Amino acid sequence: MTDIKKTGSTGTPPTPAAGPAAITAIPVRHYGRYVSAVIAIGLLASIVYAFSQGQINWGAVPDYFFDDRILRGVGQTLLLTVLSMAIGIVGGVLLAVMRLSKNPVTASIAWSYIWFFRGTPVLVQLFVWFNLGLVFEYINLGPVYKDEWSSFMTPLLTALLGLGLNEAAYMAEICRAGLLSVDEGQTEASHALGMSHSKTLRRVVIPQAMRVIVPPTGNEVINMLKTTSLVAAVQFTELFRYAQDIGQNSGAPVEMYFLAAAWYLIMTSILSVGQYYLERHYARGSSRSLPQTPIQKIRANLLSLGRPSGGMA
Amino acid sequence: MTTTPMVKAEGVHKSFGTAHILKGIDLEVAPREVFCLIGPSGSGKSTFLRCINHLEKISAGRLSVDGELVGYRQKGDKLYELRDNEVALKRRDIGMVFQRFNLFPHMTAIENVMEAPVQVKGESKAVARARAEKLLDRVGLADKAKNYPSQLSGGQQQRVAIARALAMEPKLMLFDEPTSALDPELVGDVLDVMRGLAEDGMTMIVVTHEMGFAREVGDALVFMDDGVVVESGHPRDVLTNPQQDRTKSFLSKVL
């Protein structure tokens, strides 16, 4: 084990002292690869050229990049993402447990919920929440709260319910898959030690399920961040809506779409990095050695540059 | 001398749907005894073992551990099913070792051993750690305390699993084919640990295919086939001089 590591990191050619001479042969030429690379680069260059020659005023993008409204929009988008995901995760865990429960009533309620919310488009759901005032004129929670539906259902609440309840259906399936992925022997071993159902779930099953749950949940967060742009349709103002507004007032609508796209890309990139570290955390014990983090890789490379002949002791 | 048997089974039946797995098992395991269960696969040995700590519910008959019914409470002539937490309470005293180890893969070896005393008995981490270190040392793995199960060989994992079960200080240990999933050269280490336990007077029920271990360490042996006890007695007698034809034909194939 250690021998392999040493030769790998010192950079010396791996020719053993007394071994047979290394094979010298003419490598296979992959001409197809050169051709396809040239075609791909050519296509890419022509697309970039087309955009640079189009009727797009690129100067408008940096002008508005840190505009107050854009920054406020970014804030609203993040807020909406966090709150909707919170609703989605809590609801999803609840639904997953309900679906896996031995009680047929709760199991079928959870099944129906998932069936409905996963089976209809989220934009349609948003409009339904927005227009539910046609069905319920008033909201009346007895002595606690009473108001007209239209003033109760603010754009924020509409957006949260629409996105959050939809997300719960997807998270439920992710959590269920995670819980089912844990070997039954784990539950048995835990029970045999005298641990209760809830302790078994909390200490043994969920930590292992997280390995399966975290990666798709990261995808869901990234997806949610982008999906929040839909709520512009129900009068909630976030990044996309602000960019649209600025575009219409400043006469640079397409430029503002590019600006919004750049902001979304920045935010999703940051989230991807976070997801990577979270996955690493839950991979404990699953593989013999954890992969290096990007920072560790950079540090290792720098170290080996500084001491080209030194080993990685 | 009349002591309460550690395990007493009277006419124990178990069915899964239409499959009748156990067809009336009667046996007694005395305290401090090493009791070996042998038989072909599908004979019901493992199922019976799992009934003892209520991982499986028996369909008929009576099964008791240390004088108390498994899974039920008797009041007058009525049986009341035990609640989950009552079942859990009884399982504390019964250690179990599985064929496939079933160590918790997200915890290190020592965390595996500490888990139940801390979580179930509410022991302090310091006390649990001290005992866990002693137990890992006893199974010869003191230097592997910080390793995750995936970093250990099968034999090492099984010895950690034995230490994990012992950490609850059980009065009875159940072994479900503890060496069947191991490479032949790793079997010896696990059997040595079990031999040591037997010498210390632990009551053990061992489902095994290791006839050598059964003959050397076992105090009693039962040969099961098709859900019934075919033959029982002292391991030396049964293994060297079987009376039943079924036992003879089984032993001729495995010995």
Side-chain angles (χ1 to χ4, degrees), chain A residues 7 19 39 65 93 101 116 118 121 124 135 149 157 161 170 194 227 229 238 242 247-248 276 280 283 300:
Chain A
T7 49
I39 293 173
F65 206 75
V93 171
S101 92
F116 181 80
R118 219 170 45 154
V124 175
V135 183
W149 187 268
L157 195 59
L161 284 177
Y170 286 91
T227 309
S229 60
E238 37 61 72
Y242 275 118
Q248 272 153 17
Y276 175 83
R280 237 180 91 83

Side-chain angles (χ1 to χ4, degrees), chain A residues 17-238:
Chain A
I23 294 172
T24 49
I26 314 291
V28 177
R29 305 286 180 206
H30 297 279
Y31 296 109
R33 289 184 194 169
Y34 294 110
V35 174
S36 57
V38 167
I39 293 173
I41 291 172
L43 281 175
L44 197 63
S46 63
I47 290 169
V48 171
Y49 180 76
F51 271 87
S52 67
Q53 294 303 301
Q55 298 290 315
I56 294 172
N57 173 21
W58 290 109
V61 175
D63 283 351
Y64 286 99
F65 206 75
F66 297 106
D67 187 279
D68 282 349
R69 285 165 290 176
I70 292 293
L71 293 183
R72 205 177 315 136
V74 169
Q76 295 286 59
T77 292
L78 287 175
L79 178 79
L80 200 56
T81 306
V82 170
L83 292 180
S84 314
M85 274 317 290
I87 295 174
I89 290 171
V90 172
V93 171
L94 215 69
L95 285 166
V97 172
M98 278 171 75
R99 244 198 108 170
L100 292 173
S101 92
K102 288 184 188 124
N103 184 336
V105 177
T106 56
S108 44
I109 287 176
W111 183 89
S112 315
Y113 180 100
I114 294 166
W115 170 74
F116 181 80
F117 280 89
R118 219 170 45 154
T120 53
V122 66
L123 186 60
V124 175
Q125 286 172 27
L126 280 166
F127 278 120
V128 168
W129 284 111
F130 192 57
N131 293 303
L132 221 50
L134 298 175
V135 183
F136 307 103
E137 213 167 326
Y138 296 98
I139 177 161
N140 188 349
L141 298 178
V144 188
Y145 185 86
K146 187 175 178 176
D147 204 344
E148 283 185 34
W149 187 268
S150 53
S151 51
F152 162 74
M153 204 44 126
T154 59
L156 175 65
L157 195 59
T158 310
L160 281 181
L161 284 177
L163 296 177
L165 296 185
N166 181 263
E167 185 57 34
Y170 286 91
M171 284 306 301
E173 290 297 271
I174 291 173
C175 294
R176 193 171 68 99
L179 293 177
L180 289 178
S181 75
V182 179
D183 183 48
E184 223 174 315
Q186 293 289 311
T187 314
E188 280 186 359
S190 175
H191 283 167
L193 285 166
M195 286 167 82
S196 64
H197 279 311
S198 60
K199 275 243 165 77
T200 300
L201 207 60
R202 222 171 50 239
R203 298 283 310 173
V204 175
V205 177
I206 289 178
Q208 293 181 61
M210 287 306 267
R211 249 183 65 221
V212 176
I213 293 175
V214 166
T217 304
N219 287 343
E220 289 298 307
V221 174
I222 287 169
N223 226 340
M224 175 62 82
L225 189 113
K226 295 178 297 172
T227 309
T228 53
S229 60
L230 287 184
V231 304
V234 290
Q235 307 307 319
F236 186 82
T237 323
E238 37 61 72

